């Protein structure tokens, strides 16, 4: 009998500021596309981050992976880099990438994928109560 896989999801949070603006467009074009989110000095969000891993249930612990191990990887690879930062200037992947929720979800995936050794299944970024971004799309 093959061991069934189980999903483990854990929620984290970080606070960060950003500005939705690209140097590839004019100021007027940025304002037309991003509206207030293009304001020069940025604005902040309290982001929710849900990370889902999948794996066989270990015997004898009964875990997919220990929570403290997952926490340490998320903290080291994502939260330490993102929390209380201005994403556009402080986080390297946004030097030439607009830090939208879509891109944040993708970039968080890129940071976590290798350290989680193939267990990562999904990254969900909650930017506001109304905006949620999920990667990969199903
Ligand atoms: Ni925003």
């Amino acid at each position: 009998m093959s061991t069934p896989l189980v999903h483990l999801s854990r929620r984290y949070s970080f606070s960060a500021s950003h500005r939705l603006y690209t140097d590839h467009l004019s100021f007027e074009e940025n304002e037309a596309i991003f509206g207030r989110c293009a304001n020069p000095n940025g604005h902040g969000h309290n982001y929710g981050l849900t990370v889902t891993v999948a794996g066989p249930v270990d015997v004898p612990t009964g875990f997919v992976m220990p929570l403290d191990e997952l926490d340490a990887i998320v903290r080291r690879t994502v939260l330490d880099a993102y929390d209380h930062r201005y994403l556009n200037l402080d986080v390297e992947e946004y030097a030439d990438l607009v830090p939208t929720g879509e891109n944040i979800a993708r970039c968080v995936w890129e940071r976590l994928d290798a350290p989680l050794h193939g267990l990562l299944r999904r990254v969900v970024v909650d930017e506001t109560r109304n905006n949620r971004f999920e990667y990969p799309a199903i």
Side-chain angles (χ1 to χ4, degrees), residues 122 134-138:
R122 201 148 174 83
E134 304 178 35
Y135 184 80
I138 293 176

Side-chain angles (χ1 to χ4, degrees), residues 91-113:
V91 183
E92 58 183 342
E93 53 259 40
Y94 304 109
D96 193 36
L97 183 68
V98 185
T100 57
E102 291 91 330
N103 282 331
I104 293 170
R106 288 176 46 226
C107 290
V108 167
W109 172 281
E110 291 301 326
R111 283 176 173 263
L112 288 174
D113 192 27

Side-chain angles (χ1 to χ4, degrees), residues 18 37 43 45 47 127:
H18 69 171
C37 296
H43 63 276
H45 296 282
Y47 289 92
E127 189 173 57

Side-chain angles (χ1 to χ4, degrees), residues 49-105:
L49 170 64
T50 303
V51 174
T52 299
V53 295
V57 176
D58 179 60
V59 176
T61 66
F63 293 157
V64 170
M65 71 181 291
L67 288 179
D68 58 354
E69 205 174 293
L70 178 60
D71 289 353
I73 290 169
V74 173
R75 186 178 316 111
R76 190 179 68 243
T77 61
V78 179
L79 302 181
D80 284 353
Y82 280 34
D83 190 38
H84 286 71
R85 304 288 182 176
Y86 180 45
L87 298 176
N88 302 60
L89 295 182
D90 296 335
V91 183
E92 58 183 342
E93 53 259 40
Y94 304 109
D96 193 36
L97 183 68
V98 185
T100 57
E102 291 91 330
N103 282 331
I104 293 170

Side-chain angles (χ1 to χ4, degrees), residues 3 13 16 25 36 39 79 111:
T3 310
S13 61
L25 299 172
R36 291 182 303 165
N39 283 351
L79 302 181
R111 283 176 173 263

